[in-house]
Amino acid sequence: MTAAAEKAPPDGTREEVGRARRRKEDARLITGRTQWTDNIQLPGTLHVAFLRSPLAHARIQQVDTAPARGLPGVVAVYSGADFAAEQGSLPCAWPVSDDLVVPDHPPMAVNEVRYVGEAVACVVATDRYKAADALAAIEVDYEPLPAVLDMNEALADGADKVHEAGNKAFTWTFAGGDIDAAFRDAPVVIHRTYVQQRLIPSAMEPRAVVATTDGDTCTLYSATQIPHVLRVMLALTTGIPEHRLRVIAPDVGGGFGSKLQVTAEEVLLLLMTRRLGRPVKWTESRSEGNLTVHHGRDQIQRVKLAADRDGRVRGLSVDLLADMGAYLMLVTPGVPLLGAFMYNGIYKMDAYDFRCTGVFTTKMPTDAYRGAGRPEATYAIERVMDELAAELGIDPIDVRRRNWIAHEEFPYTTIAGLTYDSGHYEAATDRATALFGYADLRAEQARRRQSRDPVQLGIGVSTYTEMCGLAPSRILGSLRYGAGGWEHAEVRMLPTGKVEVVTGSSAHGQGHETAWSQIVADSLGVPFEDVSVLHGDTAVAPKGMDTYGSRSLTIGGMAVLRACEKVKDKARHIAAHLLEASAEDVEYTGGSVRVRGTGAGRTIQENALAVFTAHDLPDGVEPRLDAQATFDPENFSFPHGTHLCAVEVDTETGMSRIRSYVAVDDVGKVVNPLIVEGQVHGGLAQGIGQALFEEAVHDADGNLLTTTLADYLVPSAADLPDFITDRTETPAVSNPLGVKGVGEAGTIASTPAVVNAIVDALRPYGVNDVRMPCSPERVWRALNGGAS
Amino acid sequence: MARITVNVDGIRFEEEVEPRLLLVHLLRDRLGKTGTPIGCDTSNCGACTVLLDGKSAKSCAVLAVQADGCDIATVEGLAAGGRRHPVQTAFHEEHALQCGYCTPGMIMAAIDLLRTDPDPSDEAIREGLEGNLCRCTGYQNIVRAVRRAASIDGPVNGEQAAAREVPA
Ligand code: FES
Ligand code: FES
């Protein structure tokens, strides 16, 4: 039985928080009344198409836009030179180190292109077909330059350069404990190199932008996760004053980090609408998006682990190469460093040493993709813990148990310097092994090994944690991030007693309208149906930090709760006056302010009306029953869990099939189990995608070969199993809701669980690694002695 | 330019179209039927799925001129009578959508799947929806939703949608 089914609401008497409420946002989504950016048809709209570089690296000799100008429907044609004076440089908001090289990044290339897909010109026309037609008439002369594709080669002496300043973007180090002592005389030392292949986030809604101006104010509609951050960044980049710029994220069809960006197209469309005085619109095709939506992962991890013979980990050393691609985008250099604090996972150790080198290559820049640094780190530690278990002949769960932080040791400050506030790894693991039938599957595995069954069974373990709820502003400051980590909310009682909630957290599939309604319904004691949630428009929700890093509930939800508390304070004050009681004698309970010990009371709805009429308010009280709150967390939150995966590997064909998958997650208190389970499912699918199917592949010249969904294998329903999901509930103590966040958990946990299972199946054949994605070919090669 | 007649969700349209115009662009850009989204340019994602004369079709893989004389049912017409189609209800009940971008296509594909196989196994559902990609849900709740819709009494799914269409 699933968590969602258990908690299905049988009646209306339960508290809202914890109920599997069906989502409010579904009504428009299942009937096709959704407002996607591409649906927006403003009168007089012109359509933009971009001409993109076919070369990974070249000098632009000349762009001749003249032949395209007279073509039917063409209104304007621009090259980079036309924007050079005003386009600025796309921002990097995370200057991680003193030695960081931040190359100039013009939204439209002017002198040089550095990845296939970089925009070099564009056509503005009366419809999208005509705009695309006219691209063919633009002539560009390129002088090819050497492509730089391999990180190790890029760092070698005399390597061809991506930028004048060289190919090294930065070096960043962290050291905790005495690493030399940990490795000195260590009885067991394990060295491994893991490759985090480049991924394409592949939100189903392609990016789209509509920009318009009334001559005074510019409005930008964009399929973005970050309308608020975007507004600030666009104001800084284009010089359009912030108060004359409105950014709207209408319904957004998934993001997974890929829409956490300030893109070239957003900047350029703003410039174009200003120039032309008409609305302009651009929607990418999938092939264009695979080239130009920032990519994820792409790291090489050299990992060294020292342990005692009883399996106790002494120390861990990580040397990371992180491919930045050609430029630094919004948080490009920060992504690998989000992992820096997670390589130690849930384990205690004496020393930990981390070094990251950011490397420029002539590829699309990388940036946040679901998990952002933490899946990579978790993969490395969970893979290497399995290697340690294999080396010592200990069960992989036992080796973890010998090292993890025990429940009674929380709060625990890790070797990476984070304080994990809560956790119960024993409970999650016990539950997972029971649901999985761990012992039986191990027995079956032994039988298959014994009988040399051509189909071997592998069991993969992943006991992950992650830092969520990005983030305490002070910590972000110490890491040189360019913004804070707070979130904002406003709660307004309307005259008729209904409630409007304004949130700075910008949902794109997460279900905020539902979850926030549940929180407000409980806090104010109003019906769930009486709450509506507004978001995603800087004119409606003027303050916010948006949605990423599993921060919405832990920070945005907390801001909503705080705003409710302030509303209740006001209601108490006003009602006490109306009830002729002193403020100390009244209490707020069940949606009413009541005088203690008497039957007298006033509902919040009555108070709302009294405030509207304002006929009899206490002196000095403004006629409004609303409040704003901004919440800045003091710590991250640390969801954790135990995932177990059984994979059947056909040793003759290399084919892997997931036979069962158990995910037991501890995300603290749960507001809506239905939504939580959905987040876990989706996360698992993406993590399994990395393990088995997905990879952005380039040829030797730097052309992306996986530009379509036929080549870049986003898993389909037929590729995935049913998941068994369950939860343990160890409330976070770092926020009053006790919540931890769930958006990235499945993705973080599942990749190592699957690969550990495949490697476990192949161990009797002398295999100790398969490079991701573990395609049948790679598995077959690993089995047959070739490089995987 | 070619002159075509199409019936979309029970309304008849006569349009002059370029021969290369895709059906999905006719629906979205010309007829304002933006309930049907576009997710790719290689007919792989299924976001644009509609029913063409009762059978599911990827409207990005059909030219508008090929749809001349056809009945087209989109997600927008399913609840035309004010009552949701059982597949819509099932998607809501089972939380079979998150961002909802794949949902119109997924619902239309599911309706067609149930038309041809009214009581599909989980495996048949997974195989049957293979051409419709979802990046958010991991599919499990979509499979549950289709199974739930299959078990709902009442007009057989798909026929109900077809019944609402006004003959050309
Ligand atoms: S848009 Fe038609 S299949 Fe992708
Ligand atoms: S619900 Fe987002 S793609 Fe399916």
Side-chain angles (χ1 to χ4, degrees):
Chain A
M1 182 173 244
T2 66
E6 280 163 29
K7 294 263 183 159
D11 55 50
T13 60
R14 304 256 288 269
E15 285 187 344
E16 284 295 338
V17 169
R19 274 179 75 165
R21 274 286 189 185
R22 272 53 180 172
R23 297 195 319 168
K24 292 186 169 182
E25 28 290 83
D26 291 358
R28 62 181 187 276
L29 298 169
I30 59 175
T31 53
R33 285 173 299 184
T34 320
Q35 172 101 285
W36 311 115
T37 300
D38 187 62
N39 294 2
I40 294 165
Q41 312 250 37
L42 301 174
T45 295
L46 300 172
H47 295 261
V48 180
F50 288 94
L51 185 69
R52 299 184 179 279
S53 171
L55 299 173
H57 197 189
R59 199 160 288 130
I60 299 172
Q61 306 279 38
Q62 198 202 330
V63 183
D64 187 1
T65 54
R69 282 181 204 281
L71 294 176
V74 172
V75 175
V77 189
Y78 301 115
S79 68
D82 296 312
F83 295 118
E86 51 179 342
Q87 67 176 344
S89 181
L90 291 175
C92 170
W94 204 335
V96 293
S97 67
D98 284 334
D99 72 348
L100 183 74
V101 174
V102 184
D104 190 41
H105 186 187
M108 187 173 280
V110 181
N111 300 312
E112 201 168 317
V113 285
R114 294 186 178 84
Y115 63 91
V116 173
E118 195 168 350
V120 293
C122 68
V123 172
V124 188
T126 49
D127 77 46
R128 51 177 117 219
Y129 284 59
K130 293 195 176 78
D133 286 347
L135 290 181
I138 300 172
E139 285 164 18
V140 186
D141 292 338
Y142 295 101
E143 178 197 336
L145 295 169
V148 179
L149 302 172
D150 178 275
M151 283 195 276
N152 284 305
E153 287 172 18
L155 291 176
D157 287 342
D160 293 315
K161 286 182 180 178
V162 180
H163 295 283
E164 263 312 297
N167 297 335
K168 199 179 85 167
F170 69 92
T171 309
W172 193 92
T173 58
F174 176 89
D178 185 344
I179 197 74
D180 293 333
F183 276 85
R184 198 178 304 129
D185 308 323
V188 184
V189 175
I190 294 176
H191 288 256
R192 290 288 186 272
T193 299
Y194 296 124
V195 177
Q196 294 286 331
Q197 78 270 34
R198 185 173 270 255
L199 299 178
I200 300 179
S202 307
M204 288 319 296
E205 182 204 17
R207 285 181 303 156
V209 182
V210 174
T212 184
T213 180
D214 60 8
D216 178 47
T217 299
C218 292
T219 302
L220 185 89
Y221 301 82
S222 182
T224 180
Q225 292 173 230
I226 53 161
H228 299 93
V229 174
L230 185 59
R231 182 191 191 204
V232 175
M233 290 296 166
L234 286 173
L236 293 172
T237 306
T238 63
I240 297 173
E242 191 181 349
H243 62 297
R244 297 222 206 117
L245 180 58
R246 174 180 177 189
V247 176
I248 301 173
D251 284 315
V252 176
F256 317 111
S258 73
K259 293 170 181 170
L260 195 195
Q261 195 51 272
V262 178
T263 66
E265 295 81 3
E266 287 162 333
V267 172
L268 293 169
L269 264 78
L270 266 182
L271 299 182
M272 283 185 242
T273 194
R274 267 212 313 199
R275 243 179 229 205
L276 298 167
R278 289 177 63 176
V280 289
K281 176 172 177 175
W282 166 77
T283 302
E284 73 187 0
S285 67
R286 176 65 52 184
S287 345
E288 195 179 17
N290 277 18
L291 286 170
T292 61
V293 174
H294 71 243
H295 292 171
R297 315 283 192 258
D298 206 345
Q299 299 173 3
I300 299 172
Q301 307 167 299
R302 298 186 193 111
V303 186
K304 220 164 64 165
L305 180 106
D308 291 328
R309 288 230 75 88
D310 63 0
R312 195 188 70 86
V313 175
R314 298 163 60 128
L316 178 71
S317 168
V318 176
D319 185 4
L320 187 66
L321 294 184
D323 193 340
M324 306 283 100
Y327 302 97
L328 303 181
M329 296 195 75
L330 194 61
V331 297
T332 301
V335 167
L337 309 186
L338 284 171
F341 303 96
M342 290 275 101
Y343 273 88
N344 51 302
I346 63 170
Y347 310 112
K348 296 175 281 189
M349 55 188 76
D350 304 330
Y352 165 59
D353 186 82
F354 174 88
R355 177 184 190 81
C356 174
T357 308
V359 186
F360 289 116
T361 59
T362 53
K363 293 184 211 164
M364 180 65 208
T366 55
D367 207 311
Y369 171 55
R370 202 169 191 171
R374 293 159 289 159
E376 297 93 312
T378 304
Y379 182 85
I381 183 68
E382 289 304 297
R383 283 285 296 110
V384 84
M385 288 304 279
D386 260 34
E387 296 303 307
L388 176 63
E391 173 78 23
L392 297 173
I394 305 176
D395 181 277
I397 292 181
D398 282 347
V399 95
R400 287 168 169 82
R401 209 180 279 276
R402 289 177 202 190
N403 287 285
W404 71 39
I405 302 156
H407 180 54
E408 53 283 0
E409 291 177 282
F410 289 93
Y412 183 91
T413 299
T414 71
I415 194 70
L418 294 177
T419 300
Y420 293 179
D421 65 324
S422 63
H424 202 324
Y425 309 140
E426 299 87 344
T429 303
D430 290 349
R431 183 79 189 121
T433 48
L435 284 170
F436 190 64
Y438 188 78
D440 289 349
L441 283 165
R442 281 283 179 218
E444 180 183 337
Q445 176 182 52
R447 284 197 300 278
R448 290 194 190 214
R449 283 183 177 174
Q450 183 91 47
S451 67
R452 292 172 198 268
D453 193 326
V455 179
Q456 287 288 319
L457 181 67
I459 294 167
V461 182
S462 171
T463 50
Y464 76 99
T465 187
E466 53 164 336
M467 55 196 260
C468 279
L470 303 185
S473 297
R474 284 196 200 126
I475 296 185
L476 289 175
S478 72
L479 293 171
R480 301 170 180 238
Y481 181 61
W486 46 263
E487 193 48 88
H488 186 73
E490 180 176 354
V491 172
R492 305 195 279 249
M493 290 303 305
L494 304 179
T496 56
K498 309 297 182 195
V499 189
E500 258 175 7
V501 178
V502 179
T503 175
S505 182
S506 189
H508 42 283
Q510 293 87 348
H512 291 15
E513 292 165 38
T514 305
W516 283 199
S517 296
Q518 291 177 268
I519 291 171
V520 171
D522 273 3
S523 177
L524 296 182
V526 298
F528 170 79
E529 293 75 15
D530 284 1
V531 185
S532 78
V533 178
L534 310 174
H535 63 86
D537 177 346
T538 59
V540 173
K543 214 167 134 66
M545 276 293 179
D546 307 316
T547 290
Y548 44 86
S550 303
R551 68 191 305 276
S552 294
L553 181 58
T554 46
I555 307 183
M558 272 304 305
V560 169
L561 187 69
R562 287 275 160 88
C564 286
E565 282 158 8
K566 290 188 183 176
V567 166
K568 289 194 284 190
D569 275 345
K570 283 189 187 175
R572 257 193 299 269
H573 187 50
I574 292 163
H577 169 79
L578 295 171
L579 293 164
E580 297 176 341
S582 79
E584 299 81 62
D585 290 339
V586 297
E587 60 182 355
Y588 195 106
T589 157
S592 293
V593 181
R594 301 198 172 279
V595 183
R596 281 196 194 88
T598 77
R602 292 182 65 94
T603 65
I604 181 84
Q605 291 84 358
E606 288 168 337
N607 284 318
L609 187 63
V611 166
F612 174 70
T613 59
H615 294 164
D616 183 15
L617 295 180
D619 287 342
V621 168
E622 290 178 29
R624 32 184 279 209
L625 190 49
D626 50 36
Q628 301 194 12
T630 303
F631 180 75
D632 199 333
E634 276 169 17
N635 192 2
F636 297 94
S637 59
F638 300 95
H640 68 82
T642 298
H643 288 212
L644 298 171
C645 177
V647 172
E648 289 182 349
V649 183
D650 186 327
T651 57
E652 285 164 1
T653 64
M655 195 69 193
S656 307
R657 189 183 73 88
I658 296 179
R659 193 168 99 183
S660 63
Y661 194 104
V662 169
V664 176
D665 295 290
D666 194 323
V667 298
K669 279 279 185 202
V670 165
V671 173
N672 185 322
L674 201 61
I675 291 176
V676 164
E677 192 193 29
Q679 286 289 326
V680 171
H681 287 169
L684 293 176
Q686 279 178 347
I688 291 170
Q690 176 173 14
L692 294 180
F693 307 113
E694 299 180 29
E695 181 169 29
V697 181
H698 293 82
D699 70 10
D701 297 322
N703 294 301
L704 182 70
L705 300 178
T706 50
T707 55
T708 74
L709 288 167
D711 311 302
Y712 187 84
L713 302 178
V714 168
S716 78
D719 295 323
L720 294 170
D722 255 6
F723 308 114
I724 298 165
T725 58
D726 202 355
R727 287 183 281 104
T728 54
E729 194 170 296
T730 313
V733 297
S734 51
N735 66 68
L737 281 171
V739 297
K740 300 183 189 172
V742 69
E744 297 159 298
T747 306
I748 289 171
S750 60
T751 311
V754 174
V755 178
N756 277 343
I758 292 172
V759 173
D760 185 53
L762 303 181
R763 269 196 211 284
Y765 301 79
V767 173
N768 69 14
D769 194 28
V770 180
R771 199 173 138 174
M772 297 188 290
C774 302
S775 61
E777 182 186 340
R778 288 226 170 105
V779 170
W780 190 89
R781 281 184 194 283
L783 274 165
N784 290 275
S788 72
Chain B
M1 286 294 202
R3 186 168 196 80
I4 62 165
T5 305
V6 287
N7 241 290
V8 183
D9 295 331
I11 297 173
R12 185 184 159 100
F13 296 91
E14 287 187 9
E15 293 288 315
E16 292 278 340
V17 299
E18 272 190 83
R20 64 172 174 167
L21 183 71
L22 299 176
L23 175 57
V24 72
H25 284 141
L26 172 75
L27 292 171
R28 292 180 53 79
D29 295 349
R30 296 274 291 273
L31 307 183
K33 303 290 287 186
T34 51
T36 301
I38 301 172
C40 73
D41 47 1
T42 50
S43 304
N44 290 107
C45 76
C48 64
T49 305
V50 297
L51 299 185
L52 199 61
D53 285 339
K55 294 200 179 108
S56 81
K58 292 179 173 176
S59 62
C60 73
V62 178
L63 295 169
V65 289
Q66 292 174 299
D68 186 20
C70 289
D71 277 339
I72 298 156
T74 81
V75 73
E76 291 175 57
L78 291 180
R83 252 186 59 217
R84 284 183 188 162
H85 188 281
V87 175
Q88 288 175 306
T89 304
F91 268 61
H92 174 59
E93 287 297 325
E94 295 292 350
H95 186 37
L97 59 148
Q98 289 178 29
C99 80
Y101 200 77
C102 69
T103 308
M106 205 63 90
I107 287 176
M108 300 315 282
I111 288 172
D112 194 42
L113 175 80
L114 293 172
R115 184 181 60 82
T116 53
D117 182 357
D119 187 19
S121 65
D122 282 10
E123 205 185 332
I125 296 169
R126 286 183 181 274
E127 297 285 330
L129 295 179
E130 198 176 14
N132 289 74
L133 297 177
C134 174
R135 193 57 155 167
C136 297
T137 64
Y139 304 103
Q140 188 154 333
N141 290 350
I142 292 175
V143 174
R144 284 179 186 160
V146 175
R147 216 170 42 212
R148 181 189 188 108
S151 68
I152 290 174
D153 295 336
V156 176
N157 312 289
E159 278 172 25
Q160 187 182 1
R164 291 216 190 85
E165 287 159 18
V166 180

